[in-house]
Coordinates of all heavy atoms in Angstrom, one line a residue:
M225 N -32.7 56.7 200.6 CA -33.4 57.3 201.7 C -33.7 56.4 202.8 O -33.4 56.7 204.0 CB -34.7 58.0 201.1 CG -35.4 58.7 202.3 SD -36.9 59.6 201.8 CE -38.0 58.4 202.3
V226 N -34.2 55.2 202.4 CA -34.5 54.2 203.5 C -33.2 53.8 204.1 O -33.2 53.7 205.4 CB -35.3 53.0 202.8 CG1 -35.4 51.9 203.9 CG2 -36.6 53.5 202.4
T227 N -32.2 53.5 203.4 CA -31.0 53.1 204.1 C -30.4 54.2 205.0 O -30.0 53.8 206.1 CB -29.9 52.9 202.9 OG1 -30.4 51.9 202.0 CG2 -28.6 52.4 203.5
N228 N -30.4 55.5 204.5 CA -30.0 56.5 205.5 C -30.9 56.6 206.8 O -30.4 56.7 207.8 CB -30.2 57.9 204.8 CG -29.0 58.0 203.8 OD1 -28.0 57.4 203.8 ND2 -29.3 59.0 202.8
Q229 N -32.2 56.4 206.6 CA -33.0 56.5 207.8 C -32.7 55.3 208.8 O -32.7 55.4 210.0 CB -34.5 56.3 207.5 CG -35.0 57.7 206.8 CD -35.0 58.9 207.8 OE1 -35.3 58.7 209.0 NE2 -34.5 60.0 207.3
I230 N -32.6 54.0 208.2 CA -32.2 52.9 209.0 C -30.9 53.0 209.7 O -30.8 52.7 210.9 CB -32.2 51.6 208.2 CG1 -33.7 51.3 207.7 CG2 -31.7 50.4 208.9 CD1 -33.8 50.2 206.7
T231 N -29.9 53.5 209.0 CA -28.6 53.6 209.6 C -28.5 54.8 210.7 O -27.8 54.7 211.6 CB -27.5 53.7 208.6 OG1 -27.8 54.8 207.7 CG2 -27.3 52.5 207.8
D232 N -29.3 55.8 210.4 CA -29.2 57.0 211.2 C -30.0 56.8 212.5 O -29.6 57.0 213.6 CB -29.8 58.2 210.4 CG -29.6 59.5 211.2 OD1 -28.5 59.6 212.0 OD2 -30.5 60.3 211.2
Q233 N -31.3 56.2 212.3 CA -32.2 56.0 213.5 C -32.8 54.6 213.4 O -33.9 54.4 213.0 CB -33.3 57.0 213.5 CG -32.8 58.5 213.5 CD -34.1 59.4 213.3 OE1 -35.2 59.0 213.0 NE2 -33.8 60.7 213.5
W234 N -32.1 53.6 213.9 CA -32.5 52.2 213.8 C -33.7 52.0 214.8 O -33.6 52.5 215.9 CB -31.4 51.3 214.1 CG -31.9 49.9 214.2 CD1 -32.1 49.1 215.4 CD2 -32.2 49.0 213.1 NE1 -32.5 47.8 215.0 CE2 -32.7 47.8 213.7 CE3 -32.2 49.2 211.7 CZ2 -33.0 46.7 212.9 CZ3 -32.6 48.2 211.0 CH2 -33.0 46.9 211.5
S235 N -34.8 51.4 214.3 CA -35.9 51.0 215.1 C -36.5 49.7 214.6 O -36.2 49.3 213.5 CB -36.9 52.2 215.1 OG -37.5 52.2 213.9
W236 N -37.3 49.0 215.4 CA -37.9 47.8 215.0 C -38.9 48.1 213.9 O -39.0 47.2 213.0 CB -38.7 47.2 216.2 CG -37.7 46.6 217.1 CD1 -37.4 47.1 218.3 CD2 -36.9 45.5 217.0 NE1 -36.4 46.4 218.9 CE2 -36.1 45.3 218.1 CE3 -36.7 44.5 215.9 CZ2 -35.1 44.3 218.2 CZ3 -35.8 43.6 216.0 CH2 -35.0 43.4 217.2
A237 N -39.6 49.3 213.7 CA -40.4 49.7 212.7 C -39.6 49.7 211.3 O -40.2 49.1 210.3 CB -41.1 50.9 213.0
W238 N -38.5 50.2 211.4 CA -37.7 50.2 210.1 C -37.2 48.8 209.7 O -37.2 48.4 208.5 CB -36.4 51.1 210.2 CG -36.8 52.6 210.1 CD1 -36.7 53.5 211.0 CD2 -37.3 53.2 209.0 NE1 -37.1 54.8 210.6 CE2 -37.5 54.5 209.3 CE3 -37.6 52.8 207.7 CZ2 -38.0 55.5 208.4 CZ3 -38.1 53.7 206.8 CH2 -38.3 55.1 207.1
G239 N -36.9 48.0 210.7 CA -36.5 46.6 210.5 C -37.6 45.8 209.9 O -37.5 45.0 208.9
A240 N -38.8 45.9 210.4 CA -40.0 45.3 209.9 C -40.4 45.7 208.4 O -40.6 44.9 207.7 CB -41.3 45.6 210.8
A241 N -40.2 47.1 208.2 CA -40.4 47.6 206.8 C -39.4 47.0 205.8 O -39.8 46.6 204.7 CB -40.4 49.1 206.8
L242 N -38.2 46.9 206.3 CA -37.1 46.3 205.4 C -37.4 44.8 205.2 O -37.2 44.3 204.0 CB -35.7 46.5 206.0 CG -34.6 45.9 205.2 CD1 -34.5 46.7 203.9 CD2 -33.2 46.2 206.0
A243 N -37.9 44.1 206.2 CA -38.3 42.6 206.0 C -39.4 42.5 205.0 O -39.4 41.6 204.1 CB -38.6 42.1 207.3
V244 N -40.4 43.4 205.1 CA -41.6 43.3 204.2 C -41.1 43.6 202.8 O -41.5 42.9 201.8 CB -42.7 44.3 204.7 CG1 -43.8 44.5 203.6 CG2 -43.3 43.8 206.0
L245 N -40.3 44.6 202.6 CA -39.7 45.0 201.3 C -38.9 43.7 200.7 O -39.1 43.4 199.6 CB -38.8 46.2 201.4 CG -38.4 46.8 200.1 CD1 -39.5 47.2 199.3 CD2 -37.4 47.9 200.5
A246 N -38.1 43.1 201.5 CA -37.3 41.9 201.0 C -38.2 40.8 200.6 O -38.1 40.1 199.6 CB -36.3 41.6 202.0
A247 N -39.2 40.5 201.5 CA -40.2 39.4 201.2 C -41.0 39.7 200.0 O -41.2 38.8 199.2 CB -41.0 39.1 202.5
S248 N -41.3 40.9 199.7 CA -42.1 41.2 198.5 C -41.3 41.1 197.3 O -41.7 40.5 196.3 CB -42.5 42.7 198.6 OG -43.4 42.9 199.7
G249 N -40.0 41.4 197.4 CA -39.0 41.2 196.2 C -38.9 39.7 195.9 O -39.0 39.3 194.7
I250 N -38.8 38.9 196.9 CA -38.6 37.4 196.8 C -39.8 36.8 196.2 O -39.9 36.0 195.3 CB -38.3 36.8 198.1 CG1 -36.9 37.1 198.5 CG2 -38.4 35.3 198.0 CD1 -36.5 36.7 200.0
W251 N -41.1 37.3 196.7 CA -42.4 36.8 196.1 C -42.5 37.2 194.7 O -43.0 36.3 193.9 CB -43.5 37.4 197.0 CG -44.8 37.0 196.6 CD1 -45.4 35.7 196.7 CD2 -45.8 37.7 195.9 NE1 -46.6 35.7 196.2 CE2 -46.9 36.9 195.6 CE3 -45.7 39.1 195.4 CZ2 -48.1 37.4 195.0 CZ3 -46.9 39.5 194.8 CH2 -48.0 38.7 194.6
L252 N -42.2 38.4 194.3 CA -42.3 38.8 192.9 C -41.3 38.0 192.0 O -41.7 37.6 190.9 CB -42.0 40.3 192.7 CG -43.1 41.2 193.2 CD1 -42.7 42.6 193.2 CD2 -44.4 41.0 192.4
A253 N -40.2 37.7 192.6 CA -39.2 36.8 191.8 C -39.7 35.5 191.5 O -39.6 34.9 190.4 CB -37.8 36.9 192.4
L254 N -40.3 34.9 192.6 CA -40.9 33.5 192.4 C -42.1 33.5 191.4 O -42.2 32.5 190.8 CB -41.2 33.0 193.8 CG -40.1 32.6 194.7 CD1 -40.6 32.2 196.1 CD2 -39.2 31.5 194.1
L255 N -42.8 34.5 191.6 CA -44.0 34.6 190.6 C -43.5 34.7 189.1 O -44.0 34.0 188.2 CB -44.8 35.9 190.9 CG -46.0 35.8 191.7 CD1 -46.7 37.1 191.9 CD2 -47.0 34.8 191.0
A256 N -42.4 35.5 188.9 CA -41.9 35.5 187.5 C -41.3 34.1 187.0 O -41.4 33.8 185.9 CB -40.8 36.6 187.5
L257 N -40.6 33.4 188.0 CA -40.1 32.2 187.6 C -41.2 31.1 187.3 O -41.0 30.2 186.5 CB -39.2 31.7 188.7 CG -37.8 32.4 188.9 CD1 -37.1 31.9 190.0 CD2 -37.0 32.2 187.6
G258 N -42.3 31.2 188.0 CA -43.4 30.3 187.9 C -43.9 30.2 186.5 O -44.5 29.2 186.1
G259 N -43.9 31.4 185.7 CA -44.5 31.4 184.4 C -43.7 30.6 183.3 O -44.3 30.2 182.4
G260 N -42.5 30.4 183.7 CA -41.6 29.7 182.6 C -41.3 28.2 183.0 O -40.3 27.8 182.6
S261 N -42.1 27.6 183.9 CA -41.8 26.2 184.4 C -41.9 25.2 183.3 O -42.6 25.4 182.3 CB -42.6 25.9 185.5 OG -43.9 25.7 185.2
S262 N -41.2 24.1 183.4 CA -41.2 23.1 182.4 C -42.4 22.4 182.3 O -42.7 21.6 181.4 CB -40.0 22.1 182.7 OG -40.2 21.5 183.9
T263 N -43.4 22.6 183.3 CA -44.7 21.8 183.2 C -45.6 22.5 182.2 O -46.7 21.9 181.9 CB -45.3 21.8 184.6 OG1 -45.6 23.2 185.0 CG2 -44.5 21.1 185.6
N264 N -45.3 23.6 181.7 CA -46.2 24.4 180.7 C -45.7 24.0 179.3 O -46.0 24.7 178.4 CB -46.2 25.9 180.9 CG -46.9 26.2 182.1 OD1 -47.8 25.5 182.6 ND2 -46.6 27.4 182.7
R265 N -45.2 22.8 179.0 CA -44.7 22.5 177.6 C -45.9 22.2 176.8 O -46.9 21.7 177.2 CB -43.8 21.3 177.6 CG -42.5 21.7 178.1 CD -41.5 20.5 177.9 NE -41.3 19.9 179.2 CZ -40.8 18.7 179.4 NH1 -40.3 18.1 178.4 NH2 -40.6 18.2 180.5
S266 N -45.8 22.6 175.5 CA -46.9 22.4 174.6 C -46.7 21.0 173.9 O -45.6 20.5 173.8 CB -46.9 23.5 173.6 OG -47.2 24.7 174.2
L267 N -47.8 20.5 173.4 CA -47.8 19.2 172.8 C -48.4 19.4 171.3 O -49.5 19.9 171.2 CB -48.6 18.1 173.5 CG -49.0 16.9 172.7 CD1 -47.7 16.0 172.6 CD2 -50.0 16.1 173.5
H268 N -47.6 19.0 170.3 CA -48.1 19.0 168.9 C -48.1 17.6 168.4 O -47.0 17.0 168.4 CB -47.1 20.0 168.0 CG -47.0 21.4 168.5 ND1 -46.0 22.1 168.2 CD2 -47.8 22.1 169.3 CE1 -46.1 23.3 168.7 NE2 -47.2 23.3 169.4
R269 N -49.2 17.2 167.9 CA -49.3 15.9 167.3 C -50.0 16.1 165.9 O -51.2 16.4 165.8 CB -50.2 14.9 168.2 CG -50.2 13.5 167.7 CD -50.9 12.6 168.6 NE -50.2 12.5 169.9 CZ -50.8 12.5 171.1 NH1 -52.1 12.5 171.1 NH2 -50.1 12.4 172.2
I270 N -49.2 15.9 164.8 CA -49.7 16.0 163.5 C -49.5 14.6 162.8 O -48.4 14.1 162.7 CB -49.0 17.1 162.8 CG1 -49.2 18.4 163.5 CG2 -49.4 17.1 161.3 CD1 -48.5 19.6 163.0
R271 N -50.6 14.1 162.3 CA -50.6 12.7 161.8 C -51.5 12.7 160.4 O -52.6 13.1 160.4 CB -51.1 11.7 162.8 CG -51.0 10.3 162.4 CD -51.6 9.4 163.5 NE -52.9 9.7 163.8 CZ -53.9 8.7 163.7 NH1 -53.6 7.6 163.4 NH2 -55.2 9.1 164.0
A272 N -50.9 12.1 159.4 CA -51.5 11.8 158.2 C -51.1 10.4 157.8 O -50.0 10.0 157.6 CB -51.1 12.7 157.0
D273 N -52.2 9.5 157.7 CA -51.9 8.1 157.2 C -53.1 7.6 156.5 O -54.2 8.3 156.4 CB -51.6 7.2 158.5 CG -52.7 7.2 159.5 OD1 -53.8 7.7 159.2 OD2 -52.4 6.6 160.6
H274 N -52.9 6.5 155.8 CA -54.0 5.8 155.1 C -54.5 6.8 154.0 O -55.7 7.1 153.9 CB -55.2 5.3 155.9 CG -54.8 4.3 156.9 ND1 -54.3 3.1 156.5 CD2 -54.7 4.3 158.2 CE1 -54.0 2.3 157.6 NE2 -54.2 3.1 158.7
R275 N -53.7 7.4 153.1 CA -54.0 8.3 152.2 C -54.5 9.7 152.6 O -54.9 10.5 151.8 CB -55.0 7.7 151.2 CG -54.5 6.5 150.4 CD -55.6 6.0 149.4 NE -57.0 6.3 149.8 CZ -57.8 5.4 150.1 NH1 -57.5 4.2 150.0 NH2 -59.0 5.8 150.5
G276 N -54.3 10.0 153.8 CA -54.6 11.3 154.4 C -53.5 12.3 154.1 O -52.3 11.9 153.8
R277 N -53.8 13.6 154.0 CA -52.9 14.6 153.6 C -53.0 15.9 154.4 O -54.2 16.3 154.6 CB -53.0 14.9 152.2 CG -51.7 15.7 151.6 CD -51.9 15.9 150.1 NE -52.5 17.3 150.0 CZ -53.4 17.6 149.2 NH1 -53.8 16.8 148.3 NH2 -53.9 18.9 149.1
I278 N -51.9 16.4 154.9 CA -51.9 17.7 155.7 C -50.9 18.6 155.0 O -49.7 18.2 154.8 CB -51.7 17.5 157.2 CG1 -52.6 16.6 157.8 CG2 -51.5 18.8 157.9 CD1 -52.4 16.3 159.3
S279 N -51.3 19.8 154.5 CA -50.3 20.6 153.9 C -50.7 22.1 154.3 O -51.8 22.5 154.4 CB -50.3 20.4 152.5 OG -51.6 20.8 151.8
N280 N -49.6 22.9 154.4 CA -49.8 24.4 154.7 C -50.6 24.6 155.9 O -51.4 25.5 156.0 CB -50.3 25.1 153.6 CG -49.4 25.1 152.4 OD1 -48.2 25.0 152.5 ND2 -50.0 25.1 151.2
S281 N -50.5 23.8 157.0 CA -51.3 23.8 158.2 C -50.3 23.7 159.4 O -50.3 22.7 160.1 CB -52.3 22.8 158.2 OG -53.2 22.8 157.2
G282 N -49.5 24.8 159.6 CA -48.6 24.8 160.7 C -49.2 24.9 162.0 O -50.5 25.2 162.1
A283 N -48.6 24.5 163.1 CA -49.1 24.6 164.4 C -48.1 25.4 165.3 O -46.9 25.2 165.2 CB -49.3 23.1 164.9
F284 N -48.7 26.3 166.1 CA -47.9 27.0 167.0 C -48.5 27.0 168.3 O -49.7 27.5 168.5 CB -47.7 28.4 166.6 CG -46.9 29.3 167.5 CD1 -45.6 29.1 167.9 CD2 -47.6 30.2 168.3 CE1 -44.9 29.9 168.7 CE2 -47.0 31.0 169.3 CZ -45.6 30.8 169.5
G285 N -48.0 26.4 169.4 CA -48.6 26.3 170.7 C -47.7 26.8 171.8 O -46.5 26.6 171.7
R286 N -48.2 27.3 172.8 CA -47.5 27.7 174.0 C -48.3 27.7 175.3 O -49.5 27.6 175.2 CB -46.7 29.1 173.8 CG -47.8 30.2 173.7 CD -47.1 31.5 173.5 NE -48.1 32.6 173.6 CZ -47.8 33.9 173.4 NH1 -46.6 34.2 173.1 NH2 -48.8 34.9 173.5
D287 N -47.6 27.8 176.4 CA -48.3 27.8 177.7 C -49.1 26.5 177.9 O -50.3 26.6 178.4 CB -49.2 29.0 177.9 CG -48.3 30.4 178.0 OD1 -47.1 30.2 178.3 OD2 -48.9 31.4 177.7
G288 N -48.6 25.4 177.6 CA -49.3 24.1 177.8 C -50.3 23.7 176.8 O -51.1 22.9 177.1
A289 N -50.3 24.4 175.6 CA -51.4 24.0 174.6 C -51.1 22.6 174.1 O -50.0 22.1 174.1 CB -51.2 25.0 173.4
A290 N -52.2 21.9 173.8 CA -52.1 20.7 173.1 C -52.8 20.7 171.7 O -54.0 21.1 171.7 CB -52.9 19.6 174.0
I291 N -52.0 20.6 170.7 CA -52.6 20.7 169.3 C -52.5 19.3 168.6 O -51.5 18.7 168.6 CB -51.8 21.7 168.6 CG1 -51.9 23.1 169.1 CG2 -52.4 21.8 167.1 CD1 -51.1 24.1 168.6
E292 N -53.6 18.8 168.0 CA -53.6 17.6 167.2 C -54.3 17.8 166.0 O -55.4 18.4 165.8 CB -54.4 16.5 168.1 CG -54.3 15.2 167.3 CD -54.8 14.0 168.3 OE1 -55.0 14.3 169.5 OE2 -55.0 12.9 167.7
Q293 N -53.6 17.5 164.8 CA -54.1 17.5 163.5 C -54.0 16.1 163.0 O -52.9 15.5 162.9 CB -53.5 18.5 162.6 CG -53.7 20.0 162.9 CD -52.9 20.9 162.0 OE1 -51.8 20.8 161.7 NE2 -53.7 21.8 161.5
T294 N -55.2 15.5 162.5 CA -55.2 14.2 162.0 C -56.0 14.1 160.7 O -57.1 14.6 160.7 CB -55.8 13.2 163.0 OG1 -55.1 13.4 164.3 CG2 -55.7 11.7 162.6
A295 N -55.4 13.5 159.7 CA -56.1 13.3 158.4 C -55.8 11.8 158.0 O -54.7 11.3 157.9 CB -55.5 14.2 157.3
T296 N -56.9 11.0 157.9 CA -56.8 9.6 157.7 C -57.8 9.2 156.5 O -58.8 10.0 156.3 CB -57.1 8.7 158.9 OG1 -58.4 9.0 159.3 CG2 -56.0 9.0 160.0
R297 N -57.6 8.1 155.9 CA -58.5 7.5 154.9 C -59.0 8.5 153.9 O -60.1 8.7 153.6 CB -59.7 6.8 155.7 CG -59.4 5.8 156.6 CD -60.6 5.2 157.2 NE -60.3 5.2 158.6 CZ -61.3 5.0 159.5 NH1 -62.5 4.6 159.2 NH2 -60.9 5.0 160.8
G298 N -58.0 9.2 153.2 CA -58.3 10.2 152.2 C -58.7 11.5 152.6 O -58.9 12.3 151.8
G299 N -58.8 11.8 153.9 CA -59.1 13.1 154.4 C -57.9 14.1 154.2 O -56.8 13.7 154.1
T300 N -58.2 15.4 154.1 CA -57.2 16.4 153.8 C -57.4 17.6 154.7 O -58.6 18.0 154.9 CB -57.1 16.9 152.3 OG1 -58.4 17.4 151.9 CG2 -56.7 15.7 151.4
I301 N -56.3 18.1 155.2 CA -56.3 19.4 156.0 C -55.4 20.4 155.2 O -54.2 20.0 155.1 CB -55.9 19.3 157.4 CG1 -56.8 18.4 158.2 CG2 -55.8 20.6 158.1 CD1 -56.4 18.0 159.6
T302 N -55.8 21.4 154.7 CA -55.1 22.2 153.9 C -55.2 23.8 154.3 O -56.3 24.2 154.4 CB -55.4 22.2 152.4 OG1 -55.4 20.8 152.0 CG2 -54.5 23.0 151.5
G303 N -54.1 24.5 154.4 CA -54.2 25.9 154.8 C -54.9 26.2 156.0 O -55.6 27.2 156.0
S304 N -54.8 25.4 157.0 CA -55.5 25.6 158.3 C -54.6 25.6 159.4 O -54.6 24.7 160.3 CB -56.5 24.5 158.5 OG -57.5 24.5 157.4
P305 N -53.7 26.7 159.6 CA -52.8 26.7 160.7 C -53.5 26.8 162.1 O -54.6 27.5 162.2 CB -52.0 28.0 160.4 CG -52.8 28.8 159.6 CD -53.8 27.9 158.8
V306 N -52.9 26.4 163.1 CA -53.4 26.4 164.5 C -52.5 27.2 165.4 O -51.3 26.9 165.4 CB -53.7 25.0 165.0 CG1 -54.1 25.0 166.5 CG2 -54.7 24.2 164.2
S307 N -53.0 28.1 166.0 CA -52.3 28.8 167.1 C -53.0 28.8 168.4 O -54.1 29.2 168.4 CB -52.1 30.3 166.7 OG -51.4 31.0 167.6
A308 N -52.4 28.2 169.4 CA -53.1 28.0 170.7 C -52.2 28.4 171.9 O -50.9 28.2 171.8 CB -53.5 26.5 170.7
R309 N -52.8 29.0 172.8 CA -52.1 29.4 174.0 C -53.0 28.8 175.3 O -54.0 29.3 175.5 CB -52.1 30.9 174.2 CG -51.3 31.4 175.4 CD -51.2 32.9 175.4 NE -50.5 33.3 176.6 CZ -50.3 34.5 176.9 NH1 -50.7 35.5 176.1 NH2 -49.6 34.8 178.0
G310 N -52.3 27.7 175.9 CA -53.0 27.2 177.1 C -54.3 26.6 176.7 O -55.1 26.5 177.6
A311 N -54.5 26.1 175.5 CA -55.8 25.5 175.1 C -55.5 24.2 174.4 O -54.4 23.9 173.9 CB -56.6 26.4 174.2
D312 N -56.6 23.4 174.2 CA -56.5 22.1 173.5 C -57.2 22.3 172.2 O -58.4 22.8 172.2 CB -57.1 21.0 174.3 CG -56.4 20.6 175.6 OD1 -55.2 21.0 175.7 OD2 -57.0 19.9 176.4
V313 N -56.6 22.0 171.1 CA -57.2 22.2 169.7 C -57.1 20.9 169.0 O -56.0 20.3 169.0 CB -56.6 23.3 169.0 CG1 -57.2 23.5 167.6 CG2 -56.6 24.6 169.7
E314 N -58.1 20.4 168.3 CA -58.1 19.2 167.5 C -58.7 19.5 166.1 O -59.8 20.0 166.1 CB -58.8 18.1 168.2 CG -58.7 16.8 167.4 CD -59.4 15.7 168.1 OE1 -59.7 15.8 169.3 OE2 -59.6 14.6 167.5
Q315 N -58.0 19.2 165.1 CA -58.6 19.2 163.7 C -58.4 17.7 163.3 O -57.3 17.2 163.2 CB -57.8 20.1 162.8 CG -58.1 21.5 163.1 CD -57.4 22.5 162.1 OE1 -56.3 22.2 161.5 NE2 -57.9 23.6 161.7
S316 N -59.6 17.2 162.8 CA -59.5 15.7 162.4 C -60.5 15.6 161.2 O -61.6 16.1 161.2 CB -60.0 14.9 163.5 OG -59.9 13.6 163.1
T317 N -60.1 14.8 160.2 CA -60.9 14.5 159.1 C -60.6 13.1 158.5 O -59.4 12.7 158.7 CB -60.7 15.6 157.9 OG1 -61.7 15.2 156.9 CG2 -59.3 15.7 157.4
D318 N -61.6 12.4 158.0 CA -61.3 11.1 157.4 C -62.4 10.7 156.4 O -63.2 11.6 156.1 CB -61.2 10.0 158.5 CG -62.5 9.8 159.2 OD1 -63.5 10.5 158.9 OD2 -62.6 8.9 160.1
H319 N -62.3 9.7 155.7 CA -63.2 9.2 154.7 C -63.3 10.3 153.7 O -64.5 10.6 153.3 CB -64.6 8.8 155.3 CG -64.5 7.6 156.1 ND1 -64.4 7.6 157.4 CD2 -64.6 6.3 155.7 CE1 -64.3 6.4 157.9 NE2 -64.4 5.5 156.9
G320 N -62.3 10.9 153.2 CA -62.4 11.9 152.1 C -62.9 13.3 152.5 O -63.0 14.2 151.7
G321 N -63.1 13.5 153.9 CA -63.5 14.9 154.3 C -62.3 15.9 154.2 O -61.2 15.5 154.0
Q322 N -62.8 17.1 154.1 CA -61.7 18.1 153.9 C -61.9 19.4 154.9 O -63.0 19.6 155.2 CB -61.8 18.8 152.6 CG -61.5 17.8 151.4 CD -61.7 18.5 150.0 OE1 -62.0 19.7 149.9 NE2 -61.4 17.8 149.0
I323 N -60.7 19.9 155.4 CA -60.7 21.1 156.1 C -59.8 22.0 155.4 O -58.6 21.7 155.2 CB -60.2 20.9 157.6 CG1 -61.1 19.9 158.3 CG2 -60.1 22.2 158.3 CD1 -60.6 19.6 159.7
T324 N -60.3 23.1 154.9 CA -59.5 24.0 154.0 C -59.7 25.5 154.4 O -60.8 25.9 154.8 CB -60.0 23.9 152.6 OG1 -60.0 22.5 152.1 CG2 -59.2 24.7 151.6
D325 N -58.5 26.1 154.5 CA -58.5 27.5 154.9 C -59.3 27.8 156.1 O -60.3 28.7 156.1 CB -59.1 28.4 153.7 CG -58.1 28.3 152.5 OD1 -56.9 28.1 152.7 OD2 -58.6 28.3 151.3
S326 N -59.1 27.2 157.2 CA -59.8 27.4 158.3 C -58.8 27.6 159.6 O -58.6 26.7 160.4 CB -60.7 26.1 158.7 OG -61.3 26.2 159.9
P327 N -58.2 28.7 159.6 CA -57.2 29.0 160.7 C -57.9 29.0 162.1 O -59.0 29.5 162.1 CB -56.6 30.2 160.3 CG -57.6 31.0 159.4 CD -58.3 29.9 158.7
S328 N -57.2 28.5 163.1 CA -57.8 28.6 164.4 C -56.7 29.3 165.3 O -55.5 29.0 165.3 CB -57.8 27.1 165.0 OG -58.7 26.4 164.2
D329 N -57.2 30.3 166.1 CA -56.5 31.0 167.1 C -57.2 31.0 168.4 O -58.2 31.6 168.5 CB -56.3 32.5 166.6 CG -55.3 33.2 167.4 OD1 -54.7 32.7 168.3 OD2 -55.2 34.5 167.3
V330 N -56.7 30.1 169.2 CA -57.4 29.8 170.5 C -56.5 30.2 171.8 O -55.4 29.9 171.7 CB -57.7 28.3 170.5 CG1 -58.5 28.0 171.8 CG2 -58.5 27.9 169.3
Q331 N -57.1 30.7 172.7 CA -56.4 31.1 174.0 C -57.2 30.6 175.1 O -58.4 30.6 175.1 CB -56.2 32.6 174.1 CG -55.2 33.1 173.0 CD -54.9 34.5 173.2 OE1 -55.0 35.1 174.3 NE2 -54.4 35.1 172.2

């Protein structure tokens, strides 16, 4: 309909409306591309050393999440998965401390 109106009765008002429509489409496309930029990469750091143990504690992060699980000096993290979206999450234990069945879902 707009194309028919523009080609049938050209005016500056129709030209301006077409320009606004095109600019809106470009703006929406740029917004959609912005959500998937490489700067939103997630960071997962899982470390067990000095007799530390981590088991059944998966990590899933997106939208720039930073997840860190650390078990040292005999500490254990068991059955404590972390799911984060755009948030920083840290689970840490040492000196024989334990984190068990403590799932984290953070946004």
Side-chain angles (χ1 to χ4, degrees):
M225 181 178 98
V226 173
T227 304
N228 287 340
Q229 288 295 323
I230 290 174
T231 56
D232 188 41
Q233 300 174 351
W234 176 256
S235 70
W236 287 108
W238 282 114
L242 183 61
V244 168
L245 185 62
S248 297
I250 291 170
W251 179 72
L252 286 173
L254 289 174
L255 263 175
L257 287 176
S261 73
S262 63
T263 59
N264 285 339
R265 283 191 258 169
S266 297
L267 169 68
H268 301 156
R269 185 175 300 142
I270 300 175
R271 183 177 65 120
D273 60 11
H274 301 293
R275 294 184 330 247
R277 194 179 94 217
I278 299 175
S279 63
N280 298 324
S281 295
F284 175 74
R286 64 181 188 182
D287 295 339
I291 299 171
E292 184 169 351
Q293 288 181 310
T294 306
T296 60
R297 296 181 233 170
T300 60
I301 299 175
T302 306
S304 298
V306 176
S307 176
R309 180 178 180 182
D312 296 344
V313 179
E314 180 180 348
Q315 287 183 329
S316 180
T317 183
D318 65 1
H319 290 95
Q322 295 182 355
I323 298 175
T324 305
D325 296 328
S326 178
S328 300
D329 187 4
V330 182
Q331 294 186 17

